[in-house]
Amino acid sequence: MSRIKVAIVPVTPFQQNCTILICEATGKAAVVDPGGDVPLIRRAIEQTGASVEKILLTHGHADHAGGAADLRDTLGVPVEGPHIGDKFLLDNLEAAAQMFGFPCRNITPDRWLDEGDQVSVGEARFDVRHCPGHTPGSVVFINEPMQFCLVGDVLFQNSIGRADLPGGDYAALMRSIEQKLLTLDDGMTFISGHGPMSTIGAEKKHNPFLQR
């Protein structure tokens, strides 16, 4: 089983968890959700010594995708994800930049992702699950053998993603969490788009939004 090392780089005024995934066997890496502060991300990549082979996006909000075009141009690597349901967000990142006060560029991914797809990081493989609700095109990346996943802004430690932004849908968000995430093993560790890491089991027990 290929093992993954992780480096988290908080970016943008929203302190979004841009995550560098590094395959220990090959030294190949993916950058997940480079929302901004691209020079900071590039320095972090250099410090790891890894070779980035792709950029992955969990969804189309500016703090997750705003720096993807600049990083793609700099590294010469493809962008994969999110689901095509977030095209309207990625087509309007430059307008979002004017609202939030940090630079963003519109981007069209090289590959849209859907339920059942896989993405690779070196020798490691992550299953893609489409989890609409926070945005229509949100996806999560799951590696069951390693008991590790990245969930974007779908689920947080003791909280859930917002559903009151354009394209948000609270009922869809809760279905995504219940059907796509809470069905994972309790020991599954996840990295959210913001804040600390957690496990599926801990959220079942303590997350106030998931208590029934």
Side-chain angles (χ1 to χ4, degrees):
M1 180 181 70
S2 298
R3 295 187 62 81
I4 289 284
K5 293 191 296 185
V6 173
I8 297 176
V9 186
V11 297
T12 82
F14 295 96
Q15 291 294 281
Q16 192 277 124
N17 289 330
C18 173
T19 303
I20 304 170
L21 302 176
I22 306 161
C23 172
E24 290 187 342
T26 64
K28 299 292 186 180
V31 179
V32 184
D33 288 352
D37 298 325
V38 170
L40 184 65
I41 297 171
R42 290 180 61 191
R43 285 196 296 271
I45 294 168
E46 291 168 3
Q47 289 170 1
T48 69
S51 174
V52 174
E53 60 180 357
K54 66 185 60 177
I55 295 164
L56 300 174
L57 298 179
T58 64
H59 65 287
H61 282 157
D63 57 326
H64 289 254
D70 283 351
L71 192 63
R72 178 170 66 179
D73 290 351
T74 299
L75 300 179
V77 298
V79 175
E80 300 184 7
H83 182 276
I84 197 169
D86 275 6
K87 185 178 187 299
F88 76 105
L89 293 169
L90 298 178
D91 287 345
N92 288 281
L93 288 172
E94 291 168 12
Q98 298 176 1
M99 295 172 52
F100 297 122
F102 59 91
C104 300
R105 285 174 55 200
N106 297 347
I107 189 164
T108 299
D110 299 277
R111 176 192 178 196
W112 297 104
L113 297 174
D114 204 350
E115 182 82 15
D117 287 344
Q118 281 195 333
V119 295
S120 61
V121 181
E123 295 179 355
R125 299 289 182 270
F126 288 79
D127 295 320
V128 175
R129 293 190 182 181
H130 180 210
C131 291
H134 177 63
T135 67
S138 288
V139 296
V140 302
F141 304 112
I142 301 168
N143 186 301
E144 296 212 40
M146 287 189 291
Q147 290 287 281
F148 169 67
C149 62
L150 299 102
V151 300
D153 285 0
V154 176
L155 181 66
F156 301 106
Q157 183 187 68
N158 293 328
S159 190
I160 60 173
R162 291 181 62 174
D164 59 339
L165 301 171
D169 182 325
Y170 179 79
L173 177 65
M174 294 307 297
R175 282 195 301 273
S176 293
I177 293 170
E178 291 169 359
Q179 297 175 9
K180 307 290 182 68
L181 296 182
L182 298 188
T183 53
L184 298 170
D185 290 345
D186 284 356
M188 178 74 70
T189 297
F190 65 84
I191 295 177
S192 298
H194 306 264
M197 298 169 67
S198 186
T199 66
I200 295 299
E203 297 315 302
K204 286 180 179 177
K205 289 181 180 179
H206 304 300
N207 192 317
F209 292 92
L210 306 182
Q211 306 308 309
R212 295 297 172 90

